[in-house]
């Protein structure tokens, strides 16, 4: 609100909003109310009756005809000079506005305020109180008060726009809504450092405050004004007027982060279900529970509405959501992803227009990496579907991937929340958007996998929606935690084969999968054997090792024992071979070291090599000498006698 001192000056220039006129032939001391009737305290009896909304006004023709062109026209068109009464039930502003207009016609002082100016201005237009009848008529007076007093005041602009809610379409046609919206937008976009403000910071009363009260509530000149100072005052407006204000603010060029913050503030005020934790988690059966448990929010009185209160509230909430979706700034990060997802939850619950829902889904896809698991668990409001809306999450992933492909490589602008310290982590230090979304989808799949109505096809389509490169490498602890969700007894043969060959699965999980498959095979064999032998009793599913042994025939148990012995024998032989291999390896290492040691010794001389050759030649010559050929063949002992061993004398 503008500084109250300047407002009081303008008020004094216009007589403090008090209209006084010369009397027109009827002496009166004022109006007197008796139950549902108004009388003029005058010596002359009334000759004209006006009925409006159950109230009766006993007046005189002459003061009304001198100021109201509509009265003249009605009496003239009736062709009845003695007409003494009319009904004006469609007069804008109702009995309150006509009371002030009638007092103006009688010359009684009228106090113009922000609470009654819009109704009086519309009533003056309806009654055709123009300058053609008399200079300074009511239309001129009310227009001057609007232009010079109301539109220069922040609080009065808010209050007049609030009072226009019951004056459609007159307030729209007379441009009161447009002028108040532009006045509010201009003041909201003005630098607060250059002006002394007196904003309320809380919802204001409909009645206009006194100038002295406004002066006392004004902050000091040096008080710093926050950028969101106007949020609370603007949030008291009806949704259509709030949309007009936000549209005018966009034209003025306000930052989109501030506009988004104002929209979230308005939604929190008028849609309390939007800020409740876990709202809508009850599923499709509780689609109407949020309506019956409504606390606060929009409470508009619709004239002539015969709908049930819950239906009226549903329609009003739907209107608010559709309007908010249409005015969200197109820039990324103008509002938080959590707010968008909660808005999407309510939009699905209240059956908002499909085109707006699609637009909202695209907005969520732009910021999906900022979402959390709790906001993604949006229930399916179709009783025949799954507990959670898995198809919706798949569409959000598709929008996210399209956005990732088309997004420019330029660094993203810093959001309003990051500039003001609402985000703890900086984007540069966080992992990529695809990796964050992949982790989010993994967590979502863990939650929805418990739903018995979820088909395998939907689960698989959602799991394969993201590319392989988007999935991060899980730690050992995370893999074990994720695998706890898997029921090994319900895996198919293909899944068991994949698990046995998957190197990234924990070893314990692989063992459980193989043991479960072994149990299945053993049960199948046991059941077939019992059928062949004519057994009539039903054998239940074997789930433990002890029960498996008890339910297996003796022949299979003996075969299993023999196989275990063979396996133990093979293990023993394998250990023996391993020990022998190690022993041979040690011997080989010893020989290698000896060979290396000998190669380091000095090489033999040429003389030594020559004598070795000569010694070898001499030995060969001795074996081939004639003495061996002259041996007596008749003496066997001499034949088998070996030649005496000769020792070579080395020559040093």
């Amino acid at each position: 609100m503008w500084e109250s001192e300047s407002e009081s000056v303008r008020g004094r220039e216009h007589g403090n909003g008090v209209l006084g006129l010369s009397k027109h032939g009827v002496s009166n001391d004022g109006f007197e109310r008796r139950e549902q009737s108004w009388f003029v305290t005058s010596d002359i009896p009334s000759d004209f009756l006006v009925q409006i909304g159950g109230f009766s006004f006993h007046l005189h023709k002459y003061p009304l005809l001198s100021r109201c062109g509509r009265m003249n026209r009605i009496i003239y068109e009736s062709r009845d000079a003695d007409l003494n009464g009319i009904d004006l039930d469609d007069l804008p502003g109702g009995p309150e506005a006509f009371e002030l207009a009638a007092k103006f016609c009688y010359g009684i002082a009228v106090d113009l305020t922000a609470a009654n100016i819009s109704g009086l201005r519309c009533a003056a237009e309806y009654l055709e109180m123009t300058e053609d009848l008399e200079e300074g008529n009511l239309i001129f007076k009310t227009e001057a008060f609007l232009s010079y007093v109301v539109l220069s005041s922040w609080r009065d602009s808010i209050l007049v726009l609030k009072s226009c809610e019951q004056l459609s379409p007159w307030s729209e046609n007379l441009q009161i809504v447009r002028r108040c919206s532009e006045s509010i937008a201009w003041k909201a976009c003005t630098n607060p450092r250059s002006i002394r403000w007196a904003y309320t910071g809380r919802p204001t009363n409909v009645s206009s405050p006194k100038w002295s009260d406004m002066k006392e509530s004004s902050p000091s000149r040096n008080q710093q004004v926050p950028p969101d100072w106007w949020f609370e005052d603007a949030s008291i407006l009806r949704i259509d007027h709030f949309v007009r204000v936000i549209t005018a603010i966009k034209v003025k060029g306000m930052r989109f982060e501030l506009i988004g913050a104002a929209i979230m503030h308005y939604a929190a005020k008028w849609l309390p279900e939007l800020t409740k934790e876990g709202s809508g988690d009850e599923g499709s059966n509780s689609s109407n529970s949020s309506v019956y448990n409504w606390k606060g929010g929009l409470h508009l009185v619709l004239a002539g509405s015969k709908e049930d209160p819950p239906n009226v509230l549903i329609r009003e909430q739907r209107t608010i959501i559709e309007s908010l979706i249409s005015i969200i700034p197109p820039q990324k990060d103008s509002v938080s992803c959590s707010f968008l997802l909660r808005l999407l939850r309510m939009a699905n619950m209240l059956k908002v227009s499909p085109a707006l829902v699609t637009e909202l889904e695209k907005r969520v896809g732009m910021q999906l990496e900022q979402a959390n698991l709790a906001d993604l668990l949006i229930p399916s409001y179709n009783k025949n579907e799954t507990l959670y809306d898995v198809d919706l999450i798949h569409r959000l992933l598709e929008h996210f991937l399209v956005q990732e492909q088309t997004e420019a490589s330029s660094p993203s602008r810093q959001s309003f929340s990051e500039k003001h310290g609402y985000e703890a982590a900086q984007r540069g230090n966080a992992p990529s958007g695809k990796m964050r979304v992949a982790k989010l989808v993994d967590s979502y799949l863990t939650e929805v996998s418990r739903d018995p109505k979820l088909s395998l096809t939907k689960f698989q389509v959602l799991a394969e929606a993201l590319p392989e490169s988007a999935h991060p490498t899980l730690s050992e602890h995370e893999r074990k935690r994720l695998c706890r969700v898997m029921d090994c007894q319900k895996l198919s043969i293909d899944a068991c084969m994949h698990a046995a060959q998957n190197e990234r699965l924990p070893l314990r999980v692989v063992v459980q999968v193989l043991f479960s498959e072994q149990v299945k095979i053993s049960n199948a064999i046991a059941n077939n054997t019992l059928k062949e032998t004519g057994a009539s009793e039903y054998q239940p599913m074997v789930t433990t090792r002890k029960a498996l042994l008890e339910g297996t025939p003796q022949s299979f148990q003996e075969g299993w024992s023999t196989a275990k012995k063979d396996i133990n024998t093979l293990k023993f032989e394998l250990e023996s071979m391993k020990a022998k291999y190690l022993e041979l390896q040690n011997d080989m290492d010893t020989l290698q070291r000896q060979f290396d040691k000998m190669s380091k010794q000095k090489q033999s001389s040429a003389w030594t090599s020559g004598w070795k050759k000569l010694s070898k030649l001499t030995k060969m010559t001795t074996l081939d000498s004639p003495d061996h050929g002259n041996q007596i063949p008749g003496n066997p002992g001499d034949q088998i006698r070996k030649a005496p061993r000769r020792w070579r004398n080395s020559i040093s």
Side-chain angles (χ1 to χ4, degrees):
M1 183 176 61
W2 294 105
E3 176 58 31
S4 57
E5 294 178 357
S6 62
E7 293 179 351
S8 61
V9 171
R10 292 187 178 92
R12 288 193 297 269
E13 292 175 355
H14 289 269
N16 279 330
V18 177
L19 302 182
L21 294 174
S22 60
K23 299 182 176 74
H24 290 272
V26 179
S27 176
N28 67 84
D29 298 326
F31 275 46
E32 180 184 359
R33 179 176 177 179
R34 302 172 189 171
E35 295 181 354
Q36 298 294 100
S37 300
W38 287 89
F39 297 89
V40 180
T41 56
S42 174
D43 297 335
I44 303 176
S46 61
D47 58 356
F48 198 76
L49 177 64
V50 179
Q51 293 184 343
I52 302 175
F55 284 83
S56 300
F57 292 85
H58 300 269
L59 307 174
H60 302 84
K61 280 186 180 180
Y62 179 71
L64 297 179
L65 295 178
S66 63
R67 292 290 182 179
C68 302
R70 190 182 186 91
M71 296 290 188
N72 285 286
R73 184 162 46 83
I74 291 175
I75 294 176
Y76 175 78
E77 292 176 355
S78 67
R79 303 293 182 180
D80 185 5
D82 298 330
L83 181 67
N84 58 4
I86 58 174
D87 293 334
L88 299 177
D89 289 332
D90 57 344
L91 183 140
E96 295 81 5
F98 183 78
E99 176 196 350
L100 298 176
K103 288 181 179 180
F104 178 82
C105 293
Y106 278 88
I108 301 175
V110 177
D111 186 13
L112 297 182
T113 65
N116 61 27
I117 186 61
S118 58
L120 188 57
R121 172 66 183 89
C122 295
E125 189 71 22
Y126 177 89
L127 295 173
E128 301 175 9
M129 303 176 71
T130 63
E131 296 295 295
D132 297 337
L133 297 176
E134 186 172 337
E135 186 178 356
N137 210 342
L138 188 57
I139 290 179
F140 173 79
K141 296 289 186 180
T142 52
E143 273 293 327
F145 187 83
L146 277 172
S147 301
Y148 294 101
V149 178
V150 172
L151 297 182
S152 62
S153 167
W154 166 262
R155 173 179 279 186
D156 286 351
S157 298
I158 292 286
L159 293 178
V160 169
L161 188 56
K162 181 69 177 176
S163 65
C164 289
E165 295 174 358
Q166 307 299 330
L167 299 174
S168 297
W170 289 91
S171 59
E172 290 282 352
N173 297 335
L174 296 175
Q175 305 297 319
I176 300 176
V177 173
R178 180 188 62 80
R179 288 184 288 173
C180 289
S181 300
E182 292 182 352
S183 173
I184 295 170
W186 183 80
K187 294 175 176 62
C189 295
T190 304
N191 187 357
R193 295 181 179 179
S194 60
I195 303 172
R196 288 192 296 171
W197 299 95
Y199 61 95
T200 62
R202 62 182 184 276
T204 57
N205 296 326
V206 178
S207 60
S208 178
K210 297 180 180 179
W211 302 117
S212 59
D213 297 337
M214 294 163 55
K215 183 176 180 180
E216 293 174 358
S217 63
S218 301
S220 62
R221 184 179 297 273
N222 297 327
Q223 182 177 351
Q224 185 176 3
V225 178
D228 59 350
W229 64 270
W230 55 275
F231 288 3
E232 184 62 33
D233 288 343
S235 66
I236 71 172
L237 301 174
R238 199 174 64 184
I239 183 61
D240 54 339
H241 295 162
F242 179 77
V243 170
R244 295 286 294 269
V245 171
I246 293 298
T247 303
I249 287 177
K250 287 182 179 179
V251 175
K252 303 297 181 183
M254 179 176 285
R255 301 198 311 271
F256 65 87
E257 299 96 338
L258 269 176
I259 297 176
I263 293 173
M264 290 190 290
H265 184 90
Y266 186 91
K269 185 180 184 66
W270 293 96
L271 300 172
E273 294 293 327
L274 194 69
T275 57
K276 285 186 179 180
E277 293 294 334
S279 60
D281 290 342
E282 295 83 357
S284 58
N285 295 331
S286 64
S287 60
N288 295 329
S289 62
S290 62
V291 176
Y292 289 102
N293 295 332
W294 179 268
K295 296 180 181 179
L298 189 61
H299 296 284
L300 297 180
V301 179
L302 302 179
S305 176
K306 297 182 180 180
E307 298 182 74
D308 296 333
N311 295 330
V312 174
L313 290 175
I314 290 175
R315 183 164 56 86
E316 292 168 354
Q317 291 181 65
R318 185 186 299 119
T319 302
I320 292 177
I321 292 175
E322 291 177 347
S323 301
L324 293 180
I325 294 174
S326 63
I327 62 174
I328 294 177
Q331 292 86 352
K332 185 177 180 180
D333 295 334
S334 58
V335 293
S336 66
C337 185
S338 177
F339 171 77
L340 293 174
L341 284 170
R342 290 173 182 267
L343 201 63
L344 181 59
R345 180 199 300 265
M346 290 198 68
N348 289 335
M349 181 179 67
L350 299 176
K351 308 298 181 184
V352 172
S353 171
L356 291 175
V357 172
T358 302
E359 180 64 24
L360 187 57
E361 291 176 359
K362 293 180 180 179
R363 295 299 308 270
V364 175
M366 292 171 58
Q367 305 171 220
L368 190 59
E369 69 275 7
Q370 304 172 10
N372 55 66
L373 179 60
D375 292 332
L376 280 183
L377 295 176
I378 300 176
S380 176
Y381 296 100
N382 189 345
K383 295 182 179 180
N384 298 326
E385 291 293 332
T386 56
L387 179 62
Y388 297 107
D389 197 342
V390 181
D391 295 333
L392 171 62
I393 304 303
H394 184 253
R395 293 196 298 270
L396 296 181
L397 283 176
E398 291 180 345
H399 293 315
F400 169 75
L401 293 176
V402 171
Q403 176 67 21
E404 285 285 318
Q405 294 176 357
T406 59
E407 194 174 30
S409 58
S410 59
S412 60
R413 296 176 57 184
Q414 190 182 23
S415 66
F416 171 78
S417 58
E418 290 174 346
K419 291 180 180 179
H420 292 80
Y422 297 141
E423 297 290 340
Q426 296 295 330
R427 287 178 176 239
N429 300 329
S432 64
K434 285 186 179 180
M435 293 184 65
R436 289 195 297 268
V437 172
K439 288 184 178 181
L440 191 63
V441 172
D442 290 341
S443 302
Y444 181 81
L445 290 174
T446 303
E447 290 292 331
V448 301
S449 62
R450 302 186 179 97
D451 185 7
K453 293 184 179 180
L454 180 63
S455 63
L456 179 61
T457 303
K458 286 188 176 182
F459 186 90
Q460 184 178 1
V461 168
L462 184 60
E464 296 176 352
L466 287 173
E468 189 68 24
S469 59
H471 293 275
T473 303
L474 299 178
S475 63
E476 184 70 19
H477 175 70
E478 291 174 336
R479 281 183 287 177
K480 290 181 180 179
R481 183 179 178 184
L482 184 61
C483 290
R484 290 196 191 106
V485 184
M486 183 172 57
D487 190 352
C488 299
Q489 296 182 358
K490 297 182 180 180
L491 295 179
S492 62
I493 296 179
D494 295 336
C496 291
M497 294 178 61
H498 180 272
Q501 299 174 1
N502 193 346
E503 298 179 354
R504 297 195 297 174
L505 282 177
L507 182 60
R508 181 181 180 85
V509 177
V510 177
V511 172
Q512 289 177 352
V513 171
L514 295 178
F515 179 74
S516 299
E517 193 63 24
Q518 179 186 356
V519 170
K520 292 180 184 178
I521 296 173
S522 301
N523 288 334
I525 295 175
N527 292 333
N528 292 333
T529 304
L530 291 175
K531 289 180 182 179
E532 292 176 359
T533 57
S536 60
E537 296 182 358
Y538 175 75
Q539 298 293 331
M541 183 72 169
V542 181
T543 58
T544 62
R545 183 180 179 86
K546 182 178 180 180
L548 174 63
L549 294 177
E550 292 177 354
T552 306
Q554 185 65 28
S555 58
F556 289 97
Q557 294 186 21
E558 293 176 356
W560 175 249
S561 301
T562 304
K564 287 179 62 177
K565 291 180 181 179
D566 294 340
I567 291 173
N568 293 333
T569 303
L570 290 174
K571 287 183 178 179
F572 177 76
E573 292 179 356
L574 181 61
E575 294 294 334
S576 300
M577 292 294 295
K578 189 184 296 184
K580 290 181 180 180
Y581 173 77
L582 293 176
E583 184 179 355
L584 291 174
Q585 186 69 28
N586 293 334
D587 294 341
M588 182 177 177
D589 293 340
T590 303
L591 292 174
Q592 183 67 32
R593 287 194 298 270
Q594 291 179 358
F595 177 76
D596 294 339
K597 185 177 180 180
M598 292 175 63
S599 63
K600 292 180 181 180
Q601 294 178 356
K602 62 181 181 177
Q603 297 180 355
S604 302
S605 61
W607 285 97
T608 303
S609 177
W611 279 110
K612 288 182 179 180
K613 292 181 181 180
L614 181 60
S615 175
K616 184 176 181 180
L617 181 60
T618 304
K619 185 176 181 180
M620 294 176 61
T621 304
T622 304
L623 292 175
D624 296 336
S625 62
D627 294 340
H628 293 276
N630 296 331
Q631 291 180 356
I632 300 173
N635 192 354
D638 296 336
Q639 291 179 0
I640 64 174
R641 185 181 301 167
K642 295 181 180 179
R645 186 174 182 180
R646 297 188 181 186
W647 297 92
R648 176 178 59 84
N649 296 324
S650 60
I651 301 175
S652 58

